Amino acid sequence: MKFYHATTEENALKIVRDGKIKMSAEGAVFVCKNPLDACKFLVIRGIEKIIVFEVDLDEKRIVESTDHSEDFFQCKAYMYNGEIEIKDETPKLEYNFPNK
């Protein structure tokens, strides 16, 4: 199933260089089912340029994250248990949210 992982431009370069999205300190990779939903978690931190990786993941390794307010963000977030391999052909979307 398709999921989306949003990150900063700087982290996206590291992900492409390393060939994988590494797990967070919580031991998972955070993803959403919609690319704009994934962006919300960075926009709130003032990040203007966001890169979103579209990844196809095994749903059996996905659990719903409970570390955010679904009412506030108006979406669900999920955690993938493990690192996610990235290839050159992995779709990448770029979004800009200017702070004006």
Side-chain angles (χ1 to χ4, degrees):
M1 178 174 201
K2 288 190 194 299
F3 286 89
Y4 300 88
H5 174 76
T7 192
T8 64
E9 185 175 25
E10 180 181 345
N11 284 343
L13 293 171
K14 291 176 188 174
I15 289 168
V16 170
R17 184 190 67 225
D18 295 343
K20 60 185 166 186
I21 302 172
K22 295 179 181 177
M23 294 183 291
S24 68
E26 292 87 359
V29 175
F30 291 92
V31 295
C32 289
K33 290 185 177 181
N34 176 293
L36 289 175
D37 287 343
C39 290
K40 292 175 184 179
F41 297 92
L42 295 176
V43 169
I44 197 168
R45 293 176 16 214
I47 307 297
E48 293 185 8
K49 187 172 184 179
I50 299 172
I51 308 299
V52 179
F53 290 88
E54 179 184 293
V55 293
D56 192 19
L57 301 175
D58 180 358
E59 287 184 80
K60 294 175 187 159
R61 295 181 68 183
I62 299 281
V63 295
E64 187 174 340
S65 172
T66 58
D67 73 340
H68 73 290
S69 169
E70 187 177 334
D71 288 337
F72 178 81
F73 285 101
Q74 294 295 298
C75 70
K76 292 183 183 281
Y78 302 90
M79 299 185 308
Y80 178 78
N81 182 20
E83 297 180 330
I84 300 172
E85 185 178 330
I86 297 298
K87 299 180 179 174
D88 288 339
E89 62 271 9
T90 299
K92 296 166 216 52
L93 309 165
E94 183 178 313
Y95 294 93
N96 290 289
F97 301 94
N99 289 324
K100 290 187 179 185

